[in-house]
Amino acid sequence: MSTYLSPAKVNLSLRIRGKRADGYHEVDMLMAKLDLADELHFHNSRTTTLLCDDDHVPTDESNLVIRAILEFEKHYGRKAKQRITLTKRIPWAAGLGGGSSNAATTLLAANEILGTQYTPDELAEMAAAIGSDIPFFLNPVLSRCQGRGERVRPLEAYAEWTSPILLLKPQFGVSTPWAYGAYEVARRLRGVMYDVQTVNGLRLSNDLEQPVFAKFPVLALLKMWLLEQAGVQAALMSGSGSCMFALTESAEHAQRIADDAKQQFDPTLFAYCGTVNPQ
Ligand code: C5P
Protein backbone atom coordinates (compact mmCIF):
# COMPACT_ATOMS: atom_id res chain seq x y z
CA MET A 1 0.00 0.00 0.00
CA SER A 2 1.19 3.55 -0.75
CA THR A 3 -0.13 6.57 1.14
CA TYR A 4 -0.19 10.15 -0.17
CA LEU A 5 -1.26 13.41 1.45
CA SER A 6 -3.55 15.61 -0.63
CA PRO A 7 -3.44 19.22 0.68
CA ALA A 8 -6.14 21.89 0.65
CA LYS A 9 -5.55 25.31 -0.92
CA VAL A 10 -6.77 28.81 -0.28
CA ASN A 11 -7.24 31.44 -2.92
CA LEU A 12 -5.39 34.30 -1.27
CA SER A 13 -6.82 36.25 -4.17
CA LEU A 14 -9.21 35.60 -7.08
CA ARG A 15 -9.74 38.29 -9.71
CA ILE A 16 -12.00 37.80 -12.72
CA ARG A 17 -10.70 39.48 -15.88
CA GLY A 18 -13.55 38.58 -18.25
CA LYS A 19 -15.62 35.86 -19.85
CA ARG A 20 -13.99 33.62 -22.44
CA ALA A 21 -15.35 32.20 -25.68
CA ASP A 22 -15.24 28.69 -24.15
CA GLY A 23 -17.64 29.75 -21.37
CA TYR A 24 -14.96 29.86 -18.65
CA HIS A 25 -13.79 33.03 -16.95
CA GLU A 26 -10.32 34.47 -17.39
CA VAL A 27 -8.91 34.61 -13.86
CA ASP A 28 -5.87 35.89 -12.02
CA MET A 29 -5.45 34.04 -8.72
CA LEU A 30 -2.96 33.65 -5.91
CA MET A 31 -3.09 30.10 -4.62
CA ALA A 32 -1.32 28.61 -1.63
CA LYS A 33 -1.52 25.22 0.01
CA LEU A 34 -2.52 24.56 3.61
CA ASP A 35 -1.38 22.01 6.17
CA LEU A 36 -4.94 20.65 6.13
CA ALA A 37 -4.92 17.52 3.93
CA ASP A 38 -6.90 14.45 2.87
CA GLU A 39 -5.18 11.08 2.72
CA LEU A 40 -5.23 8.74 -0.27
CA HIS A 41 -4.20 5.09 -0.01
CA PHE A 42 -3.44 3.07 -3.15
CA HIS A 43 -3.41 -0.75 -3.30
CA ASN A 44 -2.74 -2.82 -6.42
CA SER A 45 -5.93 -4.62 -7.33
CA ARG A 46 -7.79 -6.36 -10.16
CA THR A 47 -9.97 -3.35 -10.96
CA THR A 48 -10.07 0.30 -9.98
CA THR A 49 -12.43 1.17 -7.12
CA LEU A 50 -12.76 4.12 -4.75
CA LEU A 51 -13.88 4.02 -1.12
CA CYS A 52 -14.35 7.10 1.05
CA ASP A 53 -14.94 7.45 4.80
CA ASP A 54 -17.36 10.37 4.16
CA ASP A 55 -20.80 9.28 2.88
CA HIS A 56 -21.37 12.68 1.26
CA VAL A 57 -18.53 12.10 -1.19
CA PRO A 58 -19.53 10.21 -4.38
CA THR A 59 -17.25 7.32 -5.34
CA ASP A 60 -18.35 6.99 -8.98
CA GLU A 61 -17.14 8.84 -12.08
CA SER A 62 -18.35 12.15 -10.68
CA ASN A 63 -15.44 11.97 -8.22
CA LEU A 64 -12.32 13.67 -9.60
CA VAL A 65 -10.16 10.78 -8.35
CA ILE A 66 -11.90 8.43 -10.80
CA ARG A 67 -11.77 11.11 -13.52
CA ALA A 68 -8.01 11.37 -12.89
CA ILE A 69 -7.59 7.58 -13.22
CA LEU A 70 -9.56 7.61 -16.49
CA GLU A 71 -7.49 10.50 -17.86
CA PHE A 72 -4.28 8.75 -16.79
CA GLU A 73 -5.40 5.50 -18.48
CA LYS A 74 -6.00 7.39 -21.75
CA HIS A 75 -2.27 8.18 -21.85
CA TYR A 76 -1.10 4.90 -20.29
CA GLY A 77 -3.09 2.79 -22.76
CA ARG A 78 -3.76 0.22 -20.03
CA LYS A 79 -5.85 -0.09 -16.88
CA ALA A 80 -4.37 1.40 -13.69
CA LYS A 81 -6.02 -1.27 -11.46
CA GLN A 82 -5.92 0.50 -8.11
CA ARG A 83 -8.10 0.11 -5.02
CA ILE A 84 -8.10 3.65 -3.66
CA THR A 85 -9.31 4.67 -0.20
CA LEU A 86 -9.83 8.32 0.59
CA THR A 87 -9.79 9.73 4.13
CA LYS A 88 -11.53 13.08 3.90
CA ARG A 89 -10.55 15.99 6.13
CA ILE A 90 -11.00 18.89 3.70
CA PRO A 91 -14.66 20.03 3.74
CA TRP A 92 -16.43 19.76 0.36
CA ALA A 93 -17.96 22.63 -1.68
CA ALA A 94 -15.82 24.93 0.46
CA GLY A 95 -13.51 26.61 -2.07
CA LEU A 96 -10.57 24.70 -0.57
CA GLY A 97 -9.88 22.58 -3.67
CA GLY A 98 -10.36 19.19 -1.98
CA GLY A 99 -11.55 17.36 -5.11
CA SER A 100 -8.96 19.06 -7.35
CA SER A 101 -6.19 18.18 -4.92
CA ASN A 102 -7.33 14.54 -4.76
CA ALA A 103 -7.20 14.38 -8.58
CA ALA A 104 -3.67 15.82 -8.74
CA THR A 105 -2.49 13.45 -6.00
CA THR A 106 -3.99 10.53 -7.94
CA LEU A 107 -2.02 11.51 -11.08
CA LEU A 108 1.23 11.83 -9.09
CA ALA A 109 0.61 8.54 -7.30
CA ALA A 110 -0.30 6.62 -10.47
CA ASN A 111 2.84 7.97 -12.19
CA GLU A 112 4.98 6.72 -9.30
CA ILE A 113 3.24 3.39 -8.60
CA LEU A 114 2.98 2.36 -12.25
CA GLY A 115 6.47 3.67 -13.08
CA THR A 116 5.29 5.63 -16.11
CA GLN A 117 7.67 8.57 -15.62
CA TYR A 118 5.41 11.14 -17.25
CA THR A 119 7.08 14.57 -17.14
CA PRO A 120 5.67 17.49 -15.11
CA ASP A 121 4.42 19.02 -18.40
CA GLU A 122 2.62 15.80 -19.40
CA LEU A 123 1.04 15.54 -15.94
CA ALA A 124 0.02 19.22 -16.11
CA GLU A 125 -1.71 18.56 -19.43
CA MET A 126 -3.66 15.64 -17.94
CA ALA A 127 -4.49 17.75 -14.88
CA ALA A 128 -5.83 20.67 -16.95
CA ALA A 129 -8.04 18.27 -18.93
CA ILE A 130 -9.75 17.23 -15.67
CA GLY A 131 -10.26 20.67 -14.07
CA SER A 132 -8.94 24.24 -13.99
CA ASP A 133 -7.47 24.17 -10.46
CA ILE A 134 -5.76 20.78 -10.70
CA PRO A 135 -2.36 21.75 -12.25
CA PHE A 136 -1.58 23.94 -9.20
CA PHE A 137 -1.69 20.88 -6.93
CA LEU A 138 1.05 19.03 -8.88
CA ASN A 139 3.57 21.38 -7.23
CA PRO A 140 1.61 23.40 -4.69
CA VAL A 141 3.99 26.24 -3.91
CA LEU A 142 2.54 29.76 -3.63
CA SER A 143 1.65 30.55 -7.24
CA ARG A 144 -0.07 32.99 -9.53
CA CYS A 145 -2.62 31.04 -11.61
CA GLN A 146 -4.02 32.59 -14.77
CA GLY A 147 -5.98 31.58 -17.87
CA ARG A 148 -8.89 29.57 -16.50
CA GLY A 149 -6.60 28.74 -13.55
CA GLU A 150 -4.44 26.13 -15.26
CA ARG A 151 -1.51 28.45 -16.15
CA VAL A 152 0.57 28.22 -12.97
CA ARG A 153 3.61 30.38 -12.19
CA PRO A 154 5.32 29.91 -8.79
CA LEU A 155 6.02 33.21 -6.99
CA GLU A 156 9.68 32.63 -6.15
CA ALA A 157 9.86 35.70 -3.90
CA TYR A 158 7.17 34.17 -1.64
CA ALA A 159 8.54 30.62 -1.58
CA GLU A 160 9.37 30.93 2.13
CA TRP A 161 6.52 33.21 3.16
CA THR A 162 4.12 31.58 5.58
CA SER A 163 1.38 32.73 7.93
CA PRO A 164 -1.00 31.44 10.60
CA ILE A 165 -4.48 31.03 9.13
CA LEU A 166 -7.97 30.43 10.45
CA LEU A 167 -10.65 28.76 8.30
CA LEU A 168 -14.33 29.08 9.13
CA LYS A 169 -16.98 27.28 7.10
CA PRO A 170 -20.71 27.01 7.71
CA GLN A 171 -22.38 23.67 7.02
CA PHE A 172 -23.75 24.69 3.61
CA GLY A 173 -21.53 24.58 0.52
CA VAL A 174 -21.45 26.68 -2.66
CA SER A 175 -21.45 25.34 -6.23
CA THR A 176 -18.53 26.72 -8.25
CA PRO A 177 -20.39 26.78 -11.64
CA TRP A 178 -23.25 28.65 -9.95
CA ALA A 179 -20.90 31.26 -8.40
CA TYR A 180 -19.17 31.98 -11.73
CA GLY A 181 -22.53 32.01 -13.52
CA ALA A 182 -23.97 34.55 -11.06
CA TYR A 183 -20.92 36.85 -11.18
CA GLU A 184 -22.05 38.99 -14.13
CA VAL A 185 -25.41 39.90 -12.60
CA ALA A 186 -24.45 40.17 -8.92
CA ARG A 187 -24.48 43.42 -6.98
CA ARG A 188 -22.43 44.41 -3.96
CA LEU A 189 -24.08 44.42 -0.54
CA ARG A 190 -24.06 47.78 1.19
CA GLY A 191 -21.70 48.08 4.17
CA VAL A 192 -19.53 45.14 3.12
CA MET A 193 -15.81 45.59 2.45
CA TYR A 194 -14.75 44.12 -0.91
CA ASP A 195 -11.56 46.20 -1.33
CA VAL A 196 -8.07 44.85 -1.85
CA GLN A 197 -6.28 44.00 1.41
CA THR A 198 -2.48 43.94 1.42
CA VAL A 199 -0.44 41.48 3.47
CA ASN A 200 3.34 41.46 3.12
CA GLY A 201 3.06 42.96 -0.37
CA LEU A 202 0.45 40.41 -1.53
CA ARG A 203 -2.73 42.06 -2.84
CA LEU A 204 -5.77 40.04 -1.73
CA SER A 205 -9.39 40.22 -2.94
CA ASN A 206 -11.99 37.82 -4.27
CA ASP A 207 -14.40 38.83 -7.07
CA LEU A 208 -16.65 35.83 -6.35
CA GLU A 209 -17.57 37.36 -2.96
CA GLN A 210 -20.00 39.57 -4.88
CA PRO A 211 -22.40 36.82 -6.10
CA VAL A 212 -21.82 34.50 -3.14
CA PHE A 213 -22.44 37.15 -0.44
CA ALA A 214 -25.61 38.28 -2.26
CA LYS A 215 -27.02 34.74 -1.95
CA PHE A 216 -25.50 33.92 1.48
CA PRO A 217 -25.30 37.21 3.44
CA VAL A 218 -24.13 35.31 6.54
CA LEU A 219 -20.73 34.95 4.79
CA ALA A 220 -20.49 38.74 4.41
CA LEU A 221 -21.31 39.09 8.11
CA LEU A 222 -18.62 36.57 8.95
CA LYS A 223 -16.06 38.51 6.88
CA MET A 224 -16.92 41.83 8.51
CA TRP A 225 -16.80 40.21 11.96
CA LEU A 226 -13.40 38.63 11.21
CA LEU A 227 -12.01 42.00 10.10
CA GLU A 228 -12.91 43.47 13.52
CA GLN A 229 -11.07 40.82 15.53
CA ALA A 230 -7.70 41.50 17.17
CA GLY A 231 -4.75 40.03 15.30
CA VAL A 232 -6.49 39.73 11.91
CA GLN A 233 -4.33 40.92 9.01
CA ALA A 234 -6.81 40.10 6.24
CA ALA A 235 -10.10 38.23 5.91
CA LEU A 236 -11.88 37.02 2.79
CA MET A 237 -13.58 34.11 1.07
CA SER A 238 -11.60 31.28 -0.53
CA GLY A 239 -12.47 30.40 -4.15
CA SER A 240 -16.23 30.16 -4.62
CA GLY A 241 -16.79 29.61 -0.87
CA SER A 242 -18.32 28.82 1.47
CA CYS A 243 -15.06 28.78 3.44
CA MET A 244 -13.92 32.12 4.86
CA PHE A 245 -10.37 32.63 6.06
CA ALA A 246 -8.35 35.09 8.10
CA LEU A 247 -4.58 35.53 8.08
CA THR A 248 -3.60 36.26 11.68
CA GLU A 249 -0.60 37.65 13.52
CA SER A 250 -0.20 34.47 15.57
CA ALA A 251 -1.60 30.96 15.99
CA GLU A 252 -2.99 32.06 19.39
CA HIS A 253 -5.02 34.82 17.73
CA ALA A 254 -6.42 32.29 15.23
CA GLN A 255 -7.46 29.89 18.02
CA ARG A 256 -9.10 32.61 20.09
CA ILE A 257 -11.09 33.89 17.08
CA ALA A 258 -12.16 30.31 16.18
CA ASP A 259 -13.51 29.81 19.72
CA ASP A 260 -15.32 33.17 19.69
CA ALA A 261 -16.83 32.52 16.24
CA LYS A 262 -18.32 29.24 17.40
CA GLN A 263 -19.72 30.94 20.49
CA GLN A 264 -21.07 34.06 18.78
CA PHE A 265 -22.22 32.64 15.42
CA ASP A 266 -22.76 28.94 15.32
CA PRO A 267 -21.28 26.04 17.33
CA THR A 268 -21.52 23.82 14.21
CA LEU A 269 -19.09 25.97 12.18
CA PHE A 270 -16.15 24.02 10.77
CA ALA A 271 -13.06 25.73 12.19
CA TYR A 272 -9.43 25.01 11.39
CA CYS A 273 -6.35 26.78 12.68
CA GLY A 274 -3.17 26.04 10.78
CA THR A 275 -0.54 27.37 8.41
CA VAL A 276 -0.73 28.73 4.89
CA ASN A 277 2.21 27.81 2.60
CA PRO A 278 3.79 25.50 5.25
CA GLN A 279 7.51 24.90 4.66
O1 C5P B 1 -12.58 23.64 -14.42
P1 C5P B 1 -13.62 23.20 -13.45
O2 C5P B 1 -14.36 21.96 -13.90
O3 C5P B 1 -13.09 23.05 -12.06
O4 C5P B 1 -14.68 24.37 -13.37
C1 C5P B 1 -15.96 24.17 -12.83
C2 C5P B 1 -16.88 25.24 -13.38
O5 C5P B 1 -16.54 26.52 -12.83
C3 C5P B 1 -16.82 25.43 -14.88
O6 C5P B 1 -17.69 24.56 -15.53
C4 C5P B 1 -17.25 26.88 -15.03
O7 C5P B 1 -18.66 26.96 -14.93
C5 C5P B 1 -16.68 27.54 -13.80
N1 C5P B 1 -15.36 28.17 -14.04
C6 C5P B 1 -15.29 29.34 -14.76
N2 C5P B 1 -14.08 29.92 -14.98
C7 C5P B 1 -12.95 29.38 -14.46
C8 C5P B 1 -13.01 28.18 -13.71
C9 C5P B 1 -14.24 27.61 -13.52
O8 C5P B 1 -16.31 29.87 -15.23
N3 C5P B 1 -11.78 29.98 -14.65
Side-chain angles (χ1 to χ4, degrees), residues 19-20 23-27 29 64 67 100 128 130-134 147-149 176-178 180-181:
K19 186 110 188 257
R20 301 161 33 131
Y24 282 83
H25 290 77
E26 192 70 25
V27 292
M29 309 189 288
L64 291 177
R67 299 260 303 281
S100 296
I130 310 164
S132 308
D133 283 354
I134 300 175
R148 59 184 173 90
T176 301
W178 171 83
Y180 275 105

Side-chain angles (χ1 to χ4, degrees), residues 107-200:
L107 292 177
L108 291 168
N111 199 32
E112 228 169 69
I113 294 165
L114 301 170
T116 37
Q117 298 187 340
Y118 290 124
T119 63
D121 281 351
E122 287 171 312
L123 291 171
E125 196 186 307
M126 293 182 215
I130 310 164
S132 308
D133 283 354
I134 300 175
F136 162 77
F137 286 104
L138 294 172
N139 175 30
V141 295
L142 203 155
S143 298
R144 186 167 178 191
C145 304
Q146 293 173 295
R148 59 184 173 90
E150 88 289 12
R151 275 193 359 240
V152 181
R153 194 155 48 86
L155 284 189
E156 311 281 348
Y158 286 88
E160 284 169 25
W161 174 83
T162 177
S163 168
I165 189 168
L166 159 67
L167 308 178
L168 290 176
K169 182 196 167 283
Q171 290 200 324
F172 64 84
V174 177
S175 148
T176 301
W178 171 83
Y180 275 105
Y183 170 72
E184 270 85 19
V185 292
R187 297 239 181 95
R188 293 189 164 194
L189 299 180
R190 208 172 289 168
V192 176
M193 212 287 285
Y194 296 89
D195 299 348
V196 172
Q197 303 167 60
T198 305
V199 174
N200 203 22

